[in-house]
Amino acid sequence: MKLKHLFGFLLINFLYSAIAHAEIKIGVVTSSTGPIALVGIPQKNTIPLLPTKVGNEQIRYIHLDDGSDPTATVVAVKKLISNENVDAIIGPSGSPNAMAVLQFIAENKVPLIAPVGTSAVVLPMTEQKKWVFKTTQNDDLIASALLDHMVKTGIKTLGFIGTSDPYGENWAKVVAEEASKRGIKIVADERFQRQDNSVAAQSLKILATQPDAVLIAAPGAPAVLPQLALVDRGYTGKFYQTHGAALPDFLKLGGRKVEGTILAASLMLVVDQVPDTHPSKIIAKNYIDSYKKIYNSIPATFGANVFDAGVLLEHAIPIALAKGKPGSLEFRVALRDALENNIHEVPGTQGVYNMTPEDHSGFDERGRELITVIDGTWKLLK
């Protein structure tokens, strides 16, 4: 009889412990296959580096690959919400993919931390977009650095080519506004698909306008294609790239033809060249070292965007736990509120985050560096 009572006591305590320390489930959606796999692979590889415990609560990550297909992203997000009852989602990898899931995220009140390029996922702020947070610099922050450099170096005319998707379209809008403020005339405005193998027609149109410089807005490997096409056809002007080109494969695929390219991106590309006083330097170096230890390669900044999602969650989860249990609507709402209202001066690999109800990216000038390509390597432009 005593043994029976002891067993019952232990069972009750076990069940109580399981309820008291409910598992936090975070969905992760990446494009680790398909046309933007160069973006998605380092993001998938970063999952083992994310925090697995906050306080007494265990965190479990559930990863799904959308194959770079926005339709598959919607399916994955619905599965994570309906079948897994996740408390938040990190991802997806692509801007069109993220735009495709905004409605479902908002309807189910699940915070989404999106490591995508376009600021269209958080701007202009709406009831849907208030559930989205972004671990990449907004386009205007990067564009202003590039266009200020153009002004300083005497650029008067600019050719633009971007992907025909939310990333390229928003960049076209931002560049048009910022260039106009600075007296720079856009003489060519072209688009291409991420999966295109040739941009010959677009490059010829740009060449015909003889711009002083060309700005290419594309994420991942597609950023190389227009630059190679223009160089092969004799263009000798200056090339500018967005933070979408901030990956080692840009240098590998472009070779000598991307020498002298200028881009604005996070300090991660030149982490050993920035001052030790930069608040993000230590965390960026630690991330790079941890990634290299597992994969024996240097991660692209796209992976770091996922790492920073973990940093933000690590700060927000303790606050949310005081207001609700994992797996509940109360917890998800509290987590969203904590990400919006309690992320102040939080350093990540990409810069320092300061979230507000109006700004769900939270970067300032500490989140960008002007960088160029010299002898096949990234160099801080001073």
Side-chain angles (χ1 to χ4, degrees), residues 140-356:
D140 58 347
L141 182 67
I142 299 297
S144 61
L146 296 177
L147 287 158
D148 284 346
H149 183 270
M150 293 181 199
V151 171
K152 290 178 182 177
T153 54
I155 301 297
K156 300 295 185 183
T157 57
L158 179 67
F160 177 87
I161 180 168
T163 45
S164 184
D165 58 28
Y167 187 85
E169 293 300 339
N170 198 68
W171 259 96
K173 176 184 175 183
V174 170
V175 169
E177 293 172 355
E178 297 296 327
S180 177
K181 294 176 186 177
R182 293 164 174 79
I184 297 174
K185 184 179 180 181
I186 297 176
V187 294
D189 186 2
E190 298 293 327
R191 301 289 184 278
F192 70 104
Q193 300 293 332
R194 295 188 187 204
Q195 66 270 24
D196 284 349
N197 294 316
S198 172
V199 289
Q202 296 95 320
S203 62
L204 288 172
K205 290 179 182 178
I206 293 171
L207 279 169
T209 65
Q210 299 181 330
D212 296 332
V214 173
L215 172 57
I216 300 166
V224 183
L225 182 63
Q227 188 157 342
L228 298 186
L230 284 161
V231 171
D232 288 344
R233 286 162 179 78
Y235 182 72
T236 57
K238 179 64 69 177
F239 282 103
Y240 289 85
Q241 290 273 357
T242 72
H243 50 330
L247 73 166
D249 288 277
F250 177 80
L251 301 177
K252 294 176 184 176
L253 294 169
R256 297 295 302 175
K257 295 176 183 178
V258 298
E259 282 288 309
T261 301
I262 294 172
L263 72 159
S266 81
L267 76 159
M268 247 191 69
L269 293 184
V270 288
V271 67
D272 291 325
Q273 302 171 46
V274 298
D276 292 341
T277 53
H278 195 297
S280 292
K281 183 167 183 173
I282 292 176
I283 189 170
K285 283 182 68 68
N286 287 343
Y287 166 67
I288 293 169
D289 291 343
S290 297
Y291 190 100
K292 285 173 65 177
K293 187 176 181 179
I294 298 175
Y295 303 106
N296 197 32
S297 63
I298 297 173
T301 57
F302 306 116
N305 300 136
V306 166
F307 185 84
D308 279 4
V311 172
L312 298 181
L313 286 171
E314 201 167 21
H315 278 77
I317 285 173
I319 299 167
L321 285 170
K323 299 181 179 180
K325 293 180 180 179
S328 69
L329 173 60
E330 291 79 11
F331 180 72
R332 298 198 303 274
V333 171
L335 185 59
R336 190 216 76 86
D337 292 347
L339 286 167
E340 182 177 85
N341 299 314
N342 297 94
I343 302 296
H344 303 303
E345 288 296 299
V346 175
T349 64
Q350 301 295 289
V352 180
Y353 293 90
N354 284 284
M355 299 291 186
T356 69

Side-chain angles (χ1 to χ4, degrees), residues 95-115:
S95 296
N97 311 62
M99 296 298 291
V101 302
L102 293 183
Q103 176 185 343
F104 307 104
I105 290 296
E107 286 177 353
N108 292 277
K109 295 180 168 59
V110 178
L112 177 74
I113 305 181

